[in-house]
Amino acid sequence: ALADRGVCCIDEFGCMSKEDRTSIHEAMEQQTISVAKAGIIAKLNARASVVAVMNPAGGIYDENISIEQNSRLGSPLLSRFDLIFVMLDQAEEQRDVNIAHFLLQQSIIPGSAYDRPLDTETKFKEDDINGHWSMEKLRSYVSTVREKFQPTLTPEASDLLYKHYNLCRQQNGDGQTIVTVRFLESLMRLSQAHARLMYRDQVLLDDAVAVILLMECSAASSTGIYSGNGGTSFDFDDCFLHKSPIDTEFPPFDQTDIYFANEKQSLLQKYERSGNGSPNHQGEQM
């Protein structure tokens, strides 16, 4: 309730009691929390985005079993999260070098992270050098677009989201997490959020493509596609959609548009090959 219209961050999510889990169910489904104290019964608004972090049961993630078994949270609660990422701390030389370099650089340069004093920030001007926005500017932008835009879906975006949802439903059924209507609702919410991020009031095809690619990063890390568990929502030859988020490398700024255009083209070609019809096409066939 304190995070109403904001972001609620929860650490050690798996250590919640049964009573707390019941409350979080209500908060994530209805965006309210029921309170009954001292004879007073009330409902408090909890219109917040939930970011939760937890360790696997037993402290070690078993790649041979599902995420439901590793987390012991159950499908009803997990399905309420739009995105789920499994971050495994595996020894890899280049990744370890990058992490160590980042941490050491923060120690070498006076100040660290987002608490760096303003005079230090001005002195080093890292945001001007690498093209990143400052935290103050980013907060202002997010606050502006969240209040200004309420995006609506265009027919092209709706058609692509439907195809993705329908294909996931068809490919799902081999012991994986059941794809429900909540999955489609997540696609819609994330598409609208991406449209806001791009400063527009319509969800275009590019927004739908970006969200599908993001969703498949979530699927790649949470369904065991790289661990031989066979957990994939797609049956394409190369499964190009599935990319582990922990191994993803962002392209240089001057190549991001080209990189996205190539992935967009590949994605649309894959759906053409899948022959997955839209709701309108199905209605005509009926």
Side-chain angles (χ1 to χ4, degrees), residues 182-283:
R182 287 199 186 105
F183 180 77
L184 180 58
E185 293 175 342
S186 296
L187 290 173
M188 295 168 61
R189 279 194 298 268
L190 292 172
S191 298
Q192 291 172 324
H194 191 272
R196 289 192 187 97
L197 187 64
M198 302 305 293
Y199 207 81
R200 49 177 173 249
D201 57 2
Q202 282 190 321
V203 177
L204 305 182
L205 186 62
D206 284 355
D207 300 313
V209 170
V211 167
I212 289 175
L213 294 174
L214 180 62
M215 274 288 195
E216 288 308 301
C217 282
S218 174
S221 67
S222 63
T223 57
I225 185 171
Y226 295 119
S227 61
N229 195 29
T232 171
S233 58
F234 280 82
D235 195 23
F236 296 141
D237 296 336
D238 53 0
C239 277
F240 84 105
L241 286 174
H242 293 288
K243 296 179 181 178
S244 175
I246 201 169
D247 295 327
T248 300
E249 294 185 3
F250 294 100
F253 287 153
D254 58 346
Q255 298 180 19
T256 52
D257 291 339
I258 298 175
Y259 186 81
F260 178 77
N262 292 336
E263 288 202 326
K264 174 184 175 182
Q265 183 179 6
S266 300
L267 174 64
L268 297 179
Q269 288 176 350
K270 292 292 184 180
Y271 274 108
E272 289 295 331
R273 196 175 79 188
S274 71
N276 214 11
S278 66
N280 292 335
H281 295 158
Q282 287 188 342

Side-chain angles (χ1 to χ4, degrees), residues 60 66 152 251:
I60 300 177
S66 67
T152 57

Side-chain angles (χ1 to χ4, degrees), residues 72-96:
R72 296 184 183 176
L73 292 178
S75 296
L77 183 55
L78 284 175
S79 66
R80 284 168 168 78
F81 287 94
D82 293 338
L83 296 168
I84 300 174
F85 296 104
V86 176
M87 312 299 287
L88 300 178
D89 185 17
Q90 298 174 328
E92 184 177 323
E93 183 177 0
Q94 187 57 49
R95 185 189 303 160
D96 293 341

Side-chain angles (χ1 to χ4, degrees), residues 158-172:
S158 299
D159 183 61
L160 183 60
L161 294 180
Y162 165 78
K163 287 180 178 180
H164 182 67
Y165 168 71
N166 193 29
L167 189 57
C168 288
R169 289 277 292 181
Q170 291 176 7
Q171 298 294 333
N172 187 264

Side-chain angles (χ1 to χ4, degrees), residues 15-25:
C15 297
M16 291 190 303
S17 63
K18 292 184 178 180
E19 293 77 12
D20 291 335
R21 291 190 184 186
T22 301
S23 299
I24 202 72
H25 266 281

Side-chain angles (χ1 to χ4, degrees), residues 29-232:
E29 181 70 21
Q30 304 176 19
Q31 295 190 322
T32 59
I33 292 181
S34 299
V35 178
K37 294 289 184 180
I40 300 175
I41 301 176
K43 279 194 173 183
L44 305 177
N45 288 326
R47 297 160 295 184
S49 300
V50 177
V51 179
V53 181
M54 65 171 293
N55 290 316
I60 300 177
Y61 191 86
D62 187 349
E63 298 183 12
N64 296 315
I65 60 178
S66 67
I67 189 172
E68 289 91 342
Q69 294 170 297
N70 274 293
S71 63
R72 296 184 183 176
L73 292 178
S75 296
L77 183 55
L78 284 175
S79 66
R80 284 168 168 78
F81 287 94
D82 293 338
L83 296 168
I84 300 174
F85 296 104
V86 176
M87 312 299 287
L88 300 178
D89 185 17
Q90 298 174 328
E92 184 177 323
E93 183 177 0
Q94 187 57 49
R95 185 189 303 160
D96 293 341
V97 168
N98 293 338
I99 294 174
H101 177 74
F102 174 79
L103 294 175
L104 291 172
Q105 282 295 107
Q106 296 301 316
S107 299
I108 294 172
I109 300 176
S112 62
Y114 305 127
D115 299 327
R116 191 171 297 169
L118 182 60
D119 56 343
T120 304
E121 189 76 25
T122 304
K123 179 180 178 181
F124 288 93
K125 295 183 179 179
E126 288 188 357
D127 293 329
D128 295 336
I129 295 174
N130 58 31
H132 296 163
W133 285 4
S134 65
M135 287 301 298
E136 182 180 356
K137 184 176 182 180
L138 183 59
R139 288 193 187 100
S140 299
Y141 182 80
V142 171
S143 178
T144 299
V145 297
R146 186 169 64 174
E147 296 296 331
K148 183 173 183 178
F149 297 111
Q150 299 297 327
T152 57
L153 273 72
T154 60
E156 295 82 6
S158 299
D159 183 61
L160 183 60
L161 294 180
Y162 165 78
K163 287 180 178 180
H164 182 67
Y165 168 71
N166 193 29
L167 189 57
C168 288
R169 289 277 292 181
Q170 291 176 7
Q171 298 294 333
N172 187 264
D174 52 356
Q176 307 302 318
T177 303
I178 301 299
V179 176
T180 65
V181 178
R182 287 199 186 105
F183 180 77
L184 180 58
E185 293 175 342
S186 296
L187 290 173
M188 295 168 61
R189 279 194 298 268
L190 292 172
S191 298
Q192 291 172 324
H194 191 272
R196 289 192 187 97
L197 187 64
M198 302 305 293
Y199 207 81
R200 49 177 173 249
D201 57 2
Q202 282 190 321
V203 177
L204 305 182
L205 186 62
D206 284 355
D207 300 313
V209 170
V211 167
I212 289 175
L213 294 174
L214 180 62
M215 274 288 195
E216 288 308 301
C217 282
S218 174
S221 67
S222 63
T223 57
I225 185 171
Y226 295 119
S227 61
N229 195 29
T232 171

